[in-house]
Amino acid sequence: MQKVSVILLFIFAVTGIMPMNAQYEMAPKMAWWYNARFGMFIHFGSYSCLGHGEWAFSKEKWTKEGYQQQVSARFNPEKFDAKEIVRLAKSAGMKYIVITAKHHEGFSMWDTRVESFRDVSGTKIYSQPSFTSFGKRDILMELKNACEVNGISFCLYYSILDWGHPSQEISRINGVAFSTMKSEGARTDYIRDMKAQLKELIDRYHPAVLWFDGDWTYKADHYTPERWWTKVDGMDLYNYLVRLAPDMIVNERVCRGFGLGDFECPEREVPESPLGRPWETCQTMNRSWGYNAKDHNYKSARTLIRELVKVVSREGNYLLNIGPKGDGTIPEQSSAILQDIGEWMNVYGESLCGATRSPFLTEPKWGFYTKKEGRLFAHLFVWPANGVLMVPTLSNSIQKIYLMNDQQNILDYSVKNGQIRISLPKKAPNKINSVVVIEVIGLPKVKTK
Ligand code: JFZ
């Protein structure tokens, strides 16, 4: 027995793979992220002060010069309050924050010293500290510090494609905005400089996750001026990053669609069932990522909470976005939604954070399941009219069953014909999602005959 453990330990040490309660094996560096389940996305850049979303440069067909002078130069986030943002994230039950360090517009949100990232005139570095009158405040560092104090993991987003960089011009293929590389030499130099920027970010902020995007210009095998980013480039970038920071997690978008990186990113959609490896769905509260003054199309806290539950029951993470205004303040509707989510999470968050997928292969009509060592959580979106909840039998022995919001009152149940029949009170304790806890010995497992 001891020999076997020693051999197993050896294998795990060599391969860097550790078994967890997940259905797939995972590198140990993924553990905190996998347990976190819920994070905050922040789209914040010079586009925020225009208030037309983060794609304004492309959609409104700005020239580089016009955009840089009339939009970016006016970026003045004087009311940016990192502590308030972290307070909101934490009270909503979020465990990590991913903020845009550089979006497609190419404007760096930190004091980059990589020389080629200049404005069109070539006289200034195109970054928040050197291109705006806002001055030298380091808002990424402010956010990182506030995160650290509050036990939240600080992470960064970075766009590979760059509409501002002198090496590239915006271009369109079938209506989708790409960028065209000026020459092969420009491509080589840009990739070198992008790596230098990423090293700056790693050395300065030690992000727990690097969340890439703007990788969709790829061709699998060779590059062209418009599709200048390849799978080989993505693999090389990933290797470069994990050499610099072995514990850092990197998403698949170093070059999407090839199974690269450490987790999958199905965007604004939830896969029908768990994927073959860790995944994260990112979602907007309205229809924009960057601040859009005209977009009042907000989803309700109810919709978002239910989507979060669905994601966790299918073994995923959920990254919910806010887009601060140009002055740094958070749109009122977004903070109201976060507060509502927080009220629910305060009571029920334990059924999600650190929890894993449903043990069952089929999903119930009334909601979803999640599980933890010793507990199966039934998330009821619809409260049964007959006061009875039926749950398929587990192979674990049941200790007791209760409502998550009222752990003192033990519920009656009986087990018959492969079903646990639970008697519920008449009224649902929560309008959005009430949780019934089935306490068992061990990790809840389906009973197989
Ligand atoms: C990208 C960005 O263009 C967008 O501005 C935002 O940052 C978002 C998080 O990511 O947009 C995408 C990326 C991928 C898909 C769709 C939009 N996709 O895979 O369907």
Side-chain angles (χ1 to χ4, degrees), residues 407-426:
Q407 316 207 357
Q408 307 309 318
N409 274 317
I410 306 300
L411 301 178
D412 284 337
Y413 70 92
S414 58
V415 180
K416 211 166 54 188
N417 301 332
Q419 297 279 317
I420 312 169
R421 185 182 192 282
I422 304 163
S423 305
L424 300 176
K426 280 226 159 57

Side-chain angles (χ1 to χ4, degrees), residues 41 43 54-55 103-104 157 213 216 253 256 267 289:
F41 214 171
H43 274 70
E54 79 287 0
W55 271 66
H103 204 270
H104 310 334
Y157 165 112
D213 195 14
W216 60 81
R253 291 185 188 177
R256 74 186 65 183
E267 182 166 295
W289 298 94

Side-chain angles (χ1 to χ4, degrees), residues 102 114-118 125-126 158 162 165 190 193 197:
K102 188 195 83 175
V114 183
E115 282 292 321
S116 71
F117 289 81
R118 288 183 175 267
I125 300 268
Y126 187 42
Y158 187 92
D162 189 322
H165 195 268
Y190 174 70
D193 292 349
Q197 274 209 328

Side-chain angles (χ1 to χ4, degrees), residues 61 82 107 221 238 255-256 325 333 395-396 407 436 444:
K61 303 198 164 64
F107 180 79
D221 39 8
Y238 179 84
C255 198
R256 74 186 65 183
K325 297 180 185 178
Q333 270 163 299
S395 65
N396 318 65
Q407 316 207 357
V436 174

Side-chain angles (χ1 to χ4, degrees), residues 140-166:
L140 296 186
M141 191 57 85
E142 289 174 17
L143 190 64
K144 179 189 166 56
N145 290 338
C147 280
E148 247 161 39
V149 171
N150 288 283
I152 304 268
S153 298
F154 177 78
C155 315
L156 293 170
Y157 165 112
Y158 187 92
S159 172
I160 292 171
L161 165 155
D162 189 322
W163 295 326
H165 195 268

